[in-house]
Amino acid sequence: MATTAVTDASFQSDVLESDKPVLVDFWADWCGPCKMIAPALEELSEELGDKVTIAKMDIMENPDVPGSMGVQSIPYLVLFKNGEQAAQMRGAAPKGQLKQWLESEL
């Protein structure tokens, strides 16, 4: 299962109302570290797709949700469970570290 794009308009239904946990990657095209972790997130979406949805939100195209959440630096990963923020991670990390963090929070 590949990562899915989330927008300001779809955030409520795709993330907050999801029946399984959703990891949202707040990113932008100009962000080097965001591009560095993108392949790892794609791989994790395949490996953990039955447990969690991995979604990406471009903060330049969708400023409302990141603004209301106070996103100030990217990449910024937020895990949502039952419509609530359950965990956050700022900055880039290797795939192994991302996977370990995510599995520990699920």
Side-chain angles (χ1 to χ4, degrees):
M1 180 172 157
T3 59
T4 57
V6 176
T7 65
D8 283 335
S10 71
F11 187 81
Q12 179 76 30
S13 61
D14 290 346
V15 177
L16 300 181
E17 297 172 0
S18 176
D19 58 354
K20 70 179 179 181
V22 180
L23 178 69
V24 180
D25 170 27
F26 293 95
W27 70 285
D29 190 47
W30 49 262
C31 170
C34 298
K35 291 180 180 181
M36 287 173 41
I37 66 168
L41 292 176
E42 289 294 335
E43 291 174 19
L44 290 174
S45 72
E46 296 292 334
E47 295 171 21
L48 303 174
D50 58 329
K51 299 177 188 170
V52 62
T53 299
I54 298 181
K56 298 175 71 65
M57 178 175 267
D58 184 330
I59 66 165
M60 300 306 289
E61 294 179 8
N62 302 282
D64 296 343
V65 169
S68 68
M69 290 181 55
V71 175
Q72 296 181 349
S73 63
I74 53 174
Y76 184 51
L77 305 173
V78 181
L79 179 65
F80 289 86
K81 290 183 187 176
N82 301 314
E84 300 289 327
Q85 290 186 46
Q88 304 85 29
M89 177 185 272
R90 246 183 208 87
K95 178 187 171 188
Q97 187 176 341
L98 291 170
K99 185 175 183 178
Q100 183 178 21
W101 170 76
L102 184 54
E103 288 180 325
S104 74
E105 296 295 341
L106 292 174

